[in-house]
Amino acid sequence: MGCLSSAGGASVSQVVMGTIQVYISQDTGWSIERIAIAVTAGTWISGLFAPLAGYMADRYGPRLLTTMGLVVVGCCLLVISATNNNSLLQFIIPYVIARSISNPFLIGVVPRVATVNFFRRWRNITIAISGMARPVGGAINIQIISLIALNQSWRAAYGYVGVFLLLLAVPAFLTMRRTPEEIGMLPDGARPGRATADAQRTAAGRPGGGLEPEFSWTAREAMRTRAYWCLAGTAVFAIIASAGSGYILVPYLVSPSGPGLANFQAVGVGSLGAVLALTTLVWGYLADKLGPRRCMMITITGAVASGIFLITGVNSVLTAYIFAVLWGFFSNTVGTLEHMLLAQYFGRGSFGAIMGSLGPLQTTALGVGPLFGSYLLTYTHSYPLVFIVLMAMYAGAGLLIFLAKAPQLPPRATASGPDTAPAAV
């Protein structure tokens, strides 16, 4: 249900709007720049809602928040579907509200909290599946909205998606829960009696035991660690580098200073990354074997190498698609792996508050990335130089994740022992 909600919430994501805005602009006469105001404002405001969403998810669980998010976004899309060409504000205001709510409540914080609460042994792979929902959902939304826009109108497309989200709110309310303990279970579907026996075998060093009891940090305790701030810096640098690169990628591919591809070829290269979000499952598997921190260092190194290949080796359609495969494989999963590492370091009790506290930094970086890349290009007139600067930022993210070693448990851990139940924020 969380994945379906994330896919639905992706209907107002930057990626989707970046692709379908041409239909809106051609029909209404609104400029791309004016539409971008709604996208940027919604993205940044969603970052301000992230800490609140995290706190509420820890305290009240995803059931109420997901239902509320689906209803609000669905209603906003119905308002957008009734927009007329003379009222830009009738489009901007509901879009900003929908974007502000969808990102933390449907796509980011809330579904991740549900995943971390319900899984531990399978946590990495389930976080990978949850992280895959947004890009895959975005790709599906692009195709559906584009198809309806071509045959009917973009307003009709948003109307249909809005109705779908309102209908989805019903099963979300009926099926979602705060923690597995509410339905008499433990993470990974374990029964309390069996979990106790497994814990006793683990403590005695006998085979067949389960995982070590998990200590849950509070958000305040986590924020006092170097690991937290290194992860925050990693997210900021990686997001700016990724968003900036994605924003100028297609213009570079079609430019005379680049490979000089046709528009449809360049768009195909750019959109291939969404399909390669499926490789997130591979990284979820590898994170169980190597650990999410090592996987992050590998993905960041691979992303830097892919960026260097872009400006040194991409000179044809074939090499452009080879780049797209490499870039999609390595750059799509940094955020998902970061969430795995946050859960590994700080536990599930205050995961929502800890993840939500990073929201303002991450969404600010998401908005800064395209601006940084485009303005740097304006002043330097050099695509290779811009990509070099962005890859240097990626390398900085790699250095920070190298420094983000597991923190020592706070004094409370030795005083009270590991927490198996959610801790207070």
Side-chain angles (χ1 to χ4, degrees):
M1 186 54 62
C3 289
L4 278 176
S5 300
S6 296
S11 59
V12 290
S13 66
Q14 279 183 291
V15 173
V16 174
M17 180 54 68
T19 304
I20 68 168
Q21 62 183 330
V22 62
Y23 301 112
I24 301 174
S25 180
Q26 289 174 353
D27 177 57
T28 61
W30 302 334
S31 67
I32 299 299
E33 291 77 12
R34 298 178 78 182
I35 297 174
I37 293 173
V39 178
T40 303
T43 299
W44 283 347
I45 294 174
S46 72
L48 300 179
F49 276 120
L52 175 64
Y55 172 80
M56 293 179 68
D58 287 333
R59 183 168 291 273
Y60 303 110
R63 182 186 189 184
L64 179 63
L65 301 180
T66 301
T67 304
M68 179 198 72
L70 289 169
V71 170
V72 171
V73 176
C75 289
C76 287
L77 293 185
L78 291 180
V79 174
I80 290 174
S81 71
T83 303
N84 61 68
N85 291 3
N86 298 322
S87 181
L88 178 61
L89 283 179
Q90 190 181 348
F91 171 83
I92 288 180
I93 292 174
Y95 182 87
V96 169
I97 294 173
R99 175 66 178 154
S100 301
I101 295 297
S102 69
N103 204 40
F105 289 93
L106 299 180
I107 298 174
V109 178
V110 173
R112 293 293 195 282
V113 171
T115 301
V116 170
N117 281 347
F118 273 83
F119 297 95
R120 188 173 176 210
R121 187 185 304 275
W122 305 105
R123 182 177 287 169
N124 289 339
I125 193 68
T126 52
I127 289 177
I129 294 172
S130 177
M132 192 175 64
R134 184 202 60 80
V136 172
I140 294 172
N141 273 288
I142 289 171
Q143 299 303 319
I144 291 175
I145 294 175
S146 298
L147 182 62
I148 298 174
L150 287 171
N151 290 277
Q152 297 184 39
S153 70
W154 62 270
R155 293 180 179 85
Y158 275 124
Y160 293 141
V161 176
V163 170
F164 170 75
L165 295 184
L166 290 175
L167 294 176
L168 189 62
V170 177
F173 181 78
L174 294 176
T175 60
M176 299 190 78
R177 295 294 184 270
R178 177 174 176 264
T179 64
E181 286 83 357
E182 287 187 355
I183 52 177
M185 302 182 72
L186 296 174
D188 302 311
R191 298 290 179 181
R194 180 172 180 179
T196 301
D198 285 346
Q200 291 172 346
R201 285 194 291 270
T202 298
R206 297 198 300 270
L211 297 172
E212 294 274 339
E214 181 179 60
F215 179 82
S216 289
W217 297 61
T218 66
R220 186 172 299 178
E221 289 168 341
M223 290 180 188
R224 295 193 183 116
T225 66
R226 184 179 73 174
Y228 172 89
W229 292 106
C230 285
L231 284 169
T234 298
V236 169
F237 283 149
I239 290 172
I240 291 176
S242 179
S245 300
Y247 192 75
I248 65 172
L249 174 61
V250 172
Y252 169 67
L253 293 174
V254 301
S255 69
S257 60
L261 305 184
N263 285 340
F264 75 93
Q265 294 171 331
V267 170
V269 171
S271 63
L272 182 58
V275 178
L276 289 169
L278 294 170
T279 61
T280 302
L281 292 175
V282 175
W283 291 108
Y285 172 80
L286 291 175
D288 283 333
K289 304 297 182 182
L290 304 176
R293 178 167 165 264
R294 289 181 180 176
C295 287
M296 284 186 74
M297 288 189 283
I298 294 171
T299 57
I300 290 173
T301 302
V304 173
S306 301
I308 294 173
F309 171 68
L310 172 65
I311 58 178
T312 59
V314 174
N315 52 22
S316 65
V317 175
L318 176 60
T319 53
Y321 274 100
I322 292 173
F323 157 77
V325 171
L326 294 173
W327 180 257
F329 182 71
F330 288 113
S331 69
N332 267 333
T333 56
V334 173
T336 301
L337 289 168
E338 180 191 18
H339 298 157
M340 296 178 193
L341 195 55
L342 284 172
Q344 177 183 312
Y345 281 179
F346 303 118
R348 69 180 176 126
S350 297
F351 178 79
I354 294 169
M355 180 182 169
S357 67
L358 297 175
L361 293 174
Q362 293 172 331
T363 52
T364 298
L366 188 61
V368 167
L371 292 174
F372 179 75
S374 58
Y375 276 99
L376 188 59
L377 179 62
T378 299
Y379 285 108
T380 63
H381 303 287
S382 172
Y383 282 103
L385 179 59
V386 174
F387 280 114
I388 288 173
V389 172
L390 293 173
M391 291 309 104
M393 296 188 72
Y394 247 131
L399 176 61
L400 287 173
I401 198 61
F402 176 77
L403 297 174
K405 297 180 179 180
Q408 293 185 345
L409 293 176
R412 179 172 63 87
T414 57
S416 60
D419 291 341
T420 56
V425 176

